Amino acid sequence: MKITASSVASAIKEYLIMTFGMFLYAFGWVACIIPAGGMGGGATGLSMLLNHVFPALSIGTFVFIINILLLAVAGFIVGWNFGIKTIFCITVLSVAMDSWGYILPENILAIYTQHIDSHNILLVILGAVIAGSGVAICFSQGGSTGGTDIVAMIINKYRTISYGRIVIAGDFVIIGCSLFVASDLATGIATVIYGYIMVAVYGYTVDLIQSGNQQSSQIFIISNDYESIATAINNEAHRGVTIIDGMGWYTHKSCKIVMAVCRKRDASMILKIAKRVDPDAFITMGSVMGVYGKGFEALSKI
C-alpha cells in the first residue's frame, strides 16, 4: 500500500480515536465499577482478582501482563497476525487504568451518588455503559482490547466455538471467582450480582453502538477493482473473500461481486479498504442472524 499524506493522517486519526476509546473504557472501570464494588470479565476482571491477591501490582500492570502473556501464547499457536492495533490498545488500556487512578479524586462519583437508593447498582450500570461505549469506539477503528479476543483465537484453532460463548463462559468463571477474594460472603454475593449486571449492560451497549445486536455482517462490494479489494481484505483485514459473478440488468454488463462475512467489529475496516481502493464502489452491508463454518459457529450446532 502506497503511503500518502492522507493515509498517514487517517492512521493518526484512527489511533487517536482508539486512545480516546481506551481511556473512556478505563474511566468507566476506575470511576464507576470499581468504587461501587462491581466486577467484570475478561483481562480487566481477572486483573482485579489478582490485584486483591497481590496488591503491590496495580490493575493496569496486571492488564498489561495478562494480555502480553496471551499474545505470546497466541503467537506460537495461531501465528503473529493479530495486528499492531491490538498491541497498541492493550498498551494504552494499561496506561489508562493506572492514569485515571492517579488523576481522579478517590470515589468521586460514588460521593455524589451515595444518597441515591441503590447507588452502587446505578454506578455499575453507568460504568458498563461508559466502558461499552469506549470498546465500541475502539472496535469501530479496527482495534481490540485483547483478553477474550485472544483466548477466542486460541480456542478456535482447535475447536470452532462462537466468540459470544467464549466471552460468556470466561466472564462467568472470572466473576464467580470474586467470591473467593471478598471480605465476607454477603459482599461476595453482591459483587457477583453487580458483575453479571455489568456484563449484560456492557455487552448490550457495545452491540447497540455497533448498529444492532447481530454478531456478524455480510458485505457485498461491486467494483471494477474487485481483485485489488479482495486482496487487500485478505491481507489487511485477514478475512475470507468470495468472488461472485453478476450482471447489471439495466446495462446488461457482467460484473464481479466481492462478498465478505465478518464479525461486526471488523466491518468498518473492510468498508474503509473498499473505499480506499475504489471510492466509486457500490457497497451493501447487512446483519446476519447465523454464520456457520470455519471461524464462526460450528456446523454441528445447526
Side-chain angles (χ1 to χ4, degrees):
M1 183 179 67
K2 185 178 179 181
I3 299 177
T4 62
S6 61
S7 65
V8 172
S10 177
I12 293 174
K13 177 184 176 182
E14 287 180 356
Y15 281 90
L16 287 175
I17 292 175
M18 286 190 293
T19 300
F20 172 74
M22 288 296 91
F23 269 84
L24 191 64
Y25 173 83
F27 180 84
W29 277 92
V30 176
C32 302
I33 298 170
I34 296 176
M39 185 62 181
T44 307
L46 183 57
S47 298
M48 291 176 61
L49 290 177
L50 292 174
N51 178 252
H52 278 285
V53 181
F54 306 103
L57 294 178
S58 67
I59 294 176
T61 302
F62 275 120
V63 168
F64 184 77
I65 293 173
I66 291 169
N67 278 305
I68 288 300
L69 290 175
L70 287 174
L71 284 173
V73 173
F76 286 109
I77 294 178
V78 299
W80 302 92
N81 61 346
F82 27 76
I84 191 66
K85 288 184 177 180
T86 296
I87 298 175
F88 174 81
C89 288
I90 289 170
T91 304
V92 173
L93 175 58
S94 304
V95 173
M97 291 294 292
D98 289 340
S99 297
W100 283 124
Y102 290 113
I103 295 172
L104 295 175
E106 186 175 1
N107 298 334
I108 179 172
L109 292 180
I111 293 174
Y112 289 109
T113 59
Q114 62 182 337
H115 298 300
I116 302 175
D117 290 340
S118 304
H119 67 281
N120 282 340
I121 293 179
L122 294 178
L123 273 179
V124 169
I125 293 174
L126 175 61
V129 171
I130 294 174
S133 300
V135 168
I137 291 172
C138 181
F139 282 170
S140 70
Q141 303 304 309
S144 168
T145 56
T148 312
D149 285 345
I150 304 173
V151 174
M153 287 170 58
I154 297 173
I155 293 176
N156 278 308
K157 174 72 175 181
Y158 303 101
R159 295 192 63 185
T160 304
I161 303 175
S162 70
Y163 174 81
R165 293 186 181 183
I166 295 173
V167 171
I168 291 172
D171 290 350
F172 183 85
V173 172
I174 292 172
I175 294 172
C177 287
S178 62
L179 281 170
F180 300 105
V181 298
S183 57
D184 56 74
L185 182 60
T187 301
I189 292 174
T191 300
V192 170
I193 293 173
Y194 292 158
Y196 291 141
I197 292 174
M198 182 270 173
V199 169
V201 175
Y202 167 87
Y204 180 77
T205 301
V206 173
D207 284 338
L208 187 65
I209 295 177
Q210 288 286 97
S211 301
N213 59 1
Q214 306 303 321
Q215 290 296 317
S216 301
S217 296
Q218 185 178 63
I219 302 173
F220 288 98
I221 305 168
I222 302 175
S223 169
N224 291 328
D225 295 323
Y226 65 91
E227 291 183 350
S228 299
I229 293 174
T231 300
I233 292 173
N234 275 165
N235 295 338
E236 298 176 32
H238 305 291
R239 305 304 310 182
V241 174
T242 301
I243 303 298
I244 303 173
D245 290 320
M247 175 183 286
W249 192 247
Y250 181 77
T251 61
H252 285 200
K253 291 183 178 180
S254 61
C255 62
K256 297 291 185 178
I257 304 171
V258 179
M259 185 192 76
V261 178
C262 62
R263 301 295 184 190
K264 62 181 183 296
R265 62 182 181 276
D266 297 326
S268 62
M269 181 184 298
I270 293 176
L271 294 177
K272 289 177 182 178
I273 290 172
K275 179 183 177 182
R276 187 192 73 226
V277 176
D278 182 7
D280 296 323
F282 183 81
I283 305 172
T284 65
M285 182 176 73
S287 296
V288 182
M289 285 296 294
V291 181
Y292 302 92
K294 186 175 181 180
F296 295 91
E297 196 77 26
L299 287 170
S300 59
K301 302 297 182 181
I302 299 178

PDB file of all heavy atoms in Angstrom, residues 246-264:
ATOM      1  N   GLY A 246     -21.846 -11.635 -11.517  1.00  0.00           N
ATOM      2  CA  GLY A 246     -23.123 -10.933 -11.531  1.00  0.00           C
ATOM      3  C   GLY A 246     -23.351 -10.226 -12.856  1.00  0.00           C
ATOM      4  O   GLY A 246     -22.483 -10.208 -13.740  1.00  0.00           O
ATOM      5  N   MET A 247     -24.516  -9.620 -12.998  1.00  0.00           N
ATOM      6  CA  MET A 247     -24.842  -8.861 -14.212  1.00  0.00           C
ATOM      7  C   MET A 247     -25.759  -7.704 -13.842  1.00  0.00           C
ATOM      8  O   MET A 247     -26.742  -7.881 -13.124  1.00  0.00           O
ATOM      9  CB  MET A 247     -25.527  -9.742 -15.252  1.00  0.00           C
ATOM     10  CG  MET A 247     -26.000  -8.952 -16.483  1.00  0.00           C
ATOM     11  SD  MET A 247     -26.883  -9.961 -17.690  1.00  0.00           S
ATOM     12  CE  MET A 247     -25.500 -10.865 -18.399  1.00  0.00           C
ATOM     13  N   GLY A 248     -25.383  -6.523 -14.302  1.00  0.00           N
ATOM     14  CA  GLY A 248     -26.255  -5.368 -14.125  1.00  0.00           C
ATOM     15  C   GLY A 248     -27.384  -5.427 -15.131  1.00  0.00           C
ATOM     16  O   GLY A 248     -27.120  -5.387 -16.341  1.00  0.00           O
ATOM     17  N   TRP A 249     -28.596  -5.539 -14.666  1.00  0.00           N
ATOM     18  CA  TRP A 249     -29.701  -5.782 -15.585  1.00  0.00           C
ATOM     19  C   TRP A 249     -30.011  -4.561 -16.444  1.00  0.00           C
ATOM     20  O   TRP A 249     -30.452  -4.681 -17.591  1.00  0.00           O
ATOM     21  CB  TRP A 249     -30.950  -6.220 -14.809  1.00  0.00           C
ATOM     22  CG  TRP A 249     -32.023  -6.761 -15.707  1.00  0.00           C
ATOM     23  CD1 TRP A 249     -33.241  -6.219 -15.972  1.00  0.00           C
ATOM     24  CD2 TRP A 249     -31.941  -7.955 -16.487  1.00  0.00           C
ATOM     25  NE1 TRP A 249     -33.938  -6.991 -16.867  1.00  0.00           N
ATOM     26  CE2 TRP A 249     -33.153  -8.083 -17.200  1.00  0.00           C
ATOM     27  CE3 TRP A 249     -30.969  -8.941 -16.650  1.00  0.00           C
ATOM     28  CZ2 TRP A 249     -33.424  -9.120 -18.058  1.00  0.00           C
ATOM     29  CZ3 TRP A 249     -31.227  -9.989 -17.505  1.00  0.00           C
ATOM     30  CH2 TRP A 249     -32.442 -10.083 -18.203  1.00  0.00           C
ATOM     31  N   TYR A 250     -29.770  -3.373 -15.917  1.00  0.00           N
ATOM     32  CA  TYR A 250     -30.033  -2.161 -16.697  1.00  0.00           C
ATOM     33  C   TYR A 250     -29.042  -2.035 -17.843  1.00  0.00           C
ATOM     34  O   TYR A 250     -29.407  -1.722 -18.980  1.00  0.00           O
ATOM     35  CB  TYR A 250     -29.954  -0.926 -15.791  1.00  0.00           C
ATOM     36  CG  TYR A 250     -30.233   0.368 -16.508  1.00  0.00           C
ATOM     37  CD1 TYR A 250     -31.534   0.742 -16.835  1.00  0.00           C
ATOM     38  CD2 TYR A 250     -29.180   1.217 -16.872  1.00  0.00           C
ATOM     39  CE1 TYR A 250     -31.782   1.923 -17.508  1.00  0.00           C
ATOM     40  CE2 TYR A 250     -29.425   2.404 -17.537  1.00  0.00           C
ATOM     41  CZ  TYR A 250     -30.717   2.751 -17.857  1.00  0.00           C
ATOM     42  OH  TYR A 250     -30.975   3.922 -18.526  1.00  0.00           O
ATOM     43  N   THR A 251     -27.752  -2.302 -17.573  1.00  0.00           N
ATOM     44  CA  THR A 251     -26.716  -2.191 -18.603  1.00  0.00           C
ATOM     45  C   THR A 251     -26.477  -3.503 -19.342  1.00  0.00           C
ATOM     46  O   THR A 251     -25.865  -3.516 -20.412  1.00  0.00           O
ATOM     47  CB  THR A 251     -25.390  -1.748 -17.959  1.00  0.00           C
ATOM     48  OG1 THR A 251     -24.967  -2.733 -17.004  1.00  0.00           O
ATOM     49  CG2 THR A 251     -25.544  -0.406 -17.268  1.00  0.00           C
ATOM     50  N   HIS A 252     -26.926  -4.614 -18.749  1.00  0.00           N
ATOM     51  CA  HIS A 252     -26.680  -5.952 -19.293  1.00  0.00           C
ATOM     52  C   HIS A 252     -25.187  -6.248 -19.405  1.00  0.00           C
ATOM     53  O   HIS A 252     -24.760  -7.002 -20.284  1.00  0.00           O
ATOM     54  CB  HIS A 252     -27.360  -6.127 -20.649  1.00  0.00           C
ATOM     55  CG  HIS A 252     -28.832  -6.319 -20.529  1.00  0.00           C
ATOM     56  ND1 HIS A 252     -29.608  -6.885 -21.527  1.00  0.00           N
ATOM     57  CD2 HIS A 252     -29.698  -6.015 -19.536  1.00  0.00           C
ATOM     58  CE1 HIS A 252     -30.870  -6.918 -21.140  1.00  0.00           C
ATOM     59  NE2 HIS A 252     -30.942  -6.385 -19.930  1.00  0.00           N
ATOM     60  N   LYS A 253     -24.410  -5.641 -18.508  1.00  0.00           N
ATOM     61  CA  LYS A 253     -22.974  -5.877 -18.474  1.00  0.00           C
ATOM     62  C   LYS A 253     -22.635  -6.778 -17.289  1.00  0.00           C
ATOM     63  O   LYS A 253     -23.207  -6.627 -16.204  1.00  0.00           O
ATOM     64  CB  LYS A 253     -22.214  -4.555 -18.349  1.00  0.00           C
ATOM     65  CG  LYS A 253     -22.295  -3.685 -19.595  1.00  0.00           C
ATOM     66  CD  LYS A 253     -21.452  -2.421 -19.411  1.00  0.00           C
ATOM     67  CE  LYS A 253     -21.485  -1.564 -20.678  1.00  0.00           C
ATOM     68  NZ  LYS A 253     -20.679  -0.326 -20.520  1.00  0.00           N
ATOM     69  N   SER A 254     -21.714  -7.701 -17.516  1.00  0.00           N
ATOM     70  CA  SER A 254     -21.294  -8.588 -16.424  1.00  0.00           C
ATOM     71  C   SER A 254     -20.423  -7.829 -15.438  1.00  0.00           C
ATOM     72  O   SER A 254     -19.766  -6.837 -15.790  1.00  0.00           O
ATOM     73  CB  SER A 254     -20.526  -9.787 -16.985  1.00  0.00           C
ATOM     74  OG  SER A 254     -19.356  -9.352 -17.661  1.00  0.00           O
ATOM     75  N   CYS A 255     -20.421  -8.295 -14.204  1.00  0.00           N
ATOM     76  CA  CYS A 255     -19.627  -7.658 -13.155  1.00  0.00           C
ATOM     77  C   CYS A 255     -19.203  -8.704 -12.137  1.00  0.00           C
ATOM     78  O   CYS A 255     -19.705  -9.830 -12.140  1.00  0.00           O
ATOM     79  CB  CYS A 255     -20.408  -6.531 -12.462  1.00  0.00           C
ATOM     80  SG  CYS A 255     -21.915  -7.096 -11.632  1.00  0.00           S
ATOM     81  N   LYS A 256     -18.277  -8.332 -11.286  1.00  0.00           N
ATOM     82  CA  LYS A 256     -17.817  -9.198 -10.213  1.00  0.00           C
ATOM     83  C   LYS A 256     -18.245  -8.602  -8.874  1.00  0.00           C
ATOM     84  O   LYS A 256     -18.156  -7.390  -8.662  1.00  0.00           O
ATOM     85  CB  LYS A 256     -16.299  -9.356 -10.234  1.00  0.00           C
ATOM     86  CG  LYS A 256     -15.755 -10.017 -11.499  1.00  0.00           C
ATOM     87  CD  LYS A 256     -16.138 -11.490 -11.567  1.00  0.00           C
ATOM     88  CE  LYS A 256     -15.470 -12.156 -12.771  1.00  0.00           C
ATOM     89  NZ  LYS A 256     -15.789 -13.601 -12.853  1.00  0.00           N
ATOM     90  N   ILE A 257     -18.710  -9.472  -7.983  1.00  0.00           N
ATOM     91  CA  ILE A 257     -19.166  -9.037  -6.658  1.00  0.00           C
ATOM     92  C   ILE A 257     -18.250  -9.651  -5.606  1.00  0.00           C
ATOM     93  O   ILE A 257     -18.054 -10.871  -5.564  1.00  0.00           O
ATOM     94  CB  ILE A 257     -20.622  -9.470  -6.397  1.00  0.00           C
ATOM     95  CG1 ILE A 257     -21.541  -8.936  -7.491  1.00  0.00           C
ATOM     96  CG2 ILE A 257     -21.082  -8.997  -5.015  1.00  0.00           C
ATOM     97  CD1 ILE A 257     -22.950  -9.502  -7.421  1.00  0.00           C
ATOM     98  N   VAL A 258     -17.678  -8.806  -4.775  1.00  0.00           N
ATOM     99  CA  VAL A 258     -16.847  -9.266  -3.664  1.00  0.00           C
ATOM    100  C   VAL A 258     -17.745  -9.455  -2.443  1.00  0.00           C
ATOM    101  O   VAL A 258     -18.386  -8.506  -1.996  1.00  0.00           O
ATOM    102  CB  VAL A 258     -15.727  -8.255  -3.345  1.00  0.00           C
ATOM    103  CG1 VAL A 258     -14.886  -8.743  -2.160  1.00  0.00           C
ATOM    104  CG2 VAL A 258     -14.851  -8.029  -4.564  1.00  0.00           C
ATOM    105  N   MET A 259     -17.807 -10.668  -1.928  1.00  0.00           N
ATOM    106  CA  MET A 259     -18.614 -10.934  -0.736  1.00  0.00           C
ATOM    107  C   MET A 259     -17.703 -11.297   0.424  1.00  0.00           C
ATOM    108  O   MET A 259     -16.802 -12.130   0.292  1.00  0.00           O
ATOM    109  CB  MET A 259     -19.591 -12.087  -0.967  1.00  0.00           C
ATOM    110  CG  MET A 259     -20.538 -12.309   0.218  1.00  0.00           C
ATOM    111  SD  MET A 259     -21.456 -13.868   0.138  1.00  0.00           S
ATOM    112  CE  MET A 259     -20.192 -15.050   0.614  1.00  0.00           C
ATOM    113  N   ALA A 260     -17.922 -10.656   1.561  1.00  0.00           N
ATOM    114  CA  ALA A 260     -17.157 -10.956   2.772  1.00  0.00           C
ATOM    115  C   ALA A 260     -18.108 -11.045   3.951  1.00  0.00           C
ATOM    116  O   ALA A 260     -19.023 -10.225   4.084  1.00  0.00           O
ATOM    117  CB  ALA A 260     -16.105  -9.881   3.021  1.00  0.00           C
ATOM    118  N   VAL A 261     -17.913 -12.049   4.788  1.00  0.00           N
ATOM    119  CA  VAL A 261     -18.671 -12.197   6.024  1.00  0.00           C
ATOM    120  C   VAL A 261     -17.684 -12.036   7.174  1.00  0.00           C
ATOM    121  O   VAL A 261     -16.627 -12.671   7.184  1.00  0.00           O
ATOM    122  CB  VAL A 261     -19.371 -13.571   6.108  1.00  0.00           C
ATOM    123  CG1 VAL A 261     -20.110 -13.714   7.431  1.00  0.00           C
ATOM    124  CG2 VAL A 261     -20.338 -13.737   4.943  1.00  0.00           C
ATOM    125  N   CYS A 262     -18.013 -11.185   8.132  1.00  0.00           N
ATOM    126  CA  CYS A 262     -17.066 -10.889   9.211  1.00  0.00           C
ATOM    127  C   CYS A 262     -17.806 -10.588  10.500  1.00  0.00           C
ATOM    128  O   CYS A 262     -19.017 -10.373  10.515  1.00  0.00           O
ATOM    129  CB  CYS A 262     -16.193  -9.689   8.831  1.00  0.00           C
ATOM    130  SG  CYS A 262     -17.134  -8.156   8.591  1.00  0.00           S
ATOM    131  N   ARG A 263     -17.056 -10.591  11.601  1.00  0.00           N
ATOM    132  CA  ARG A 263     -17.602 -10.111  12.859  1.00  0.00           C
ATOM    133  C   ARG A 263     -17.907  -8.625  12.713  1.00  0.00           C
ATOM    134  O   ARG A 263     -17.221  -7.902  11.989  1.00  0.00           O
ATOM    135  CB  ARG A 263     -16.601 -10.318  13.997  1.00  0.00           C
ATOM    136  CG  ARG A 263     -16.191 -11.763  14.215  1.00  0.00           C
ATOM    137  CD  ARG A 263     -17.353 -12.617  14.660  1.00  0.00           C
ATOM    138  NE  ARG A 263     -16.931 -13.988  14.970  1.00  0.00           N
ATOM    139  CZ  ARG A 263     -17.744 -14.991  15.199  1.00  0.00           C
ATOM    140  NH1 ARG A 263     -19.049 -14.788  15.127  1.00  0.00           N
ATOM    141  NH2 ARG A 263     -17.292 -16.193  15.484  1.00  0.00           N
ATOM    142  N   LYS A 264     -18.921  -8.171  13.413  1.00  0.00           N
ATOM    143  CA  LYS A 264     -19.356  -6.797  13.244  1.00  0.00           C
ATOM    144  C   LYS A 264     -18.267  -5.790  13.575  1.00  0.00           C
ATOM    145  O   LYS A 264     -18.210  -4.705  13.012  1.00  0.00           O
ATOM    146  CB  LYS A 264     -20.600  -6.517  14.085  1.00  0.00           C
ATOM    147  CG  LYS A 264     -20.414  -6.664  15.574  1.00  0.00           C
ATOM    148  CD  LYS A 264     -21.728  -6.372  16.294  1.00  0.00           C
ATOM    149  CE  LYS A 264     -21.565  -6.444  17.802  1.00  0.00           C
ATOM    150  NZ  LYS A 264     -21.204  -7.774  18.278  1.00  0.00           N
TER     151      LYS A 264
END
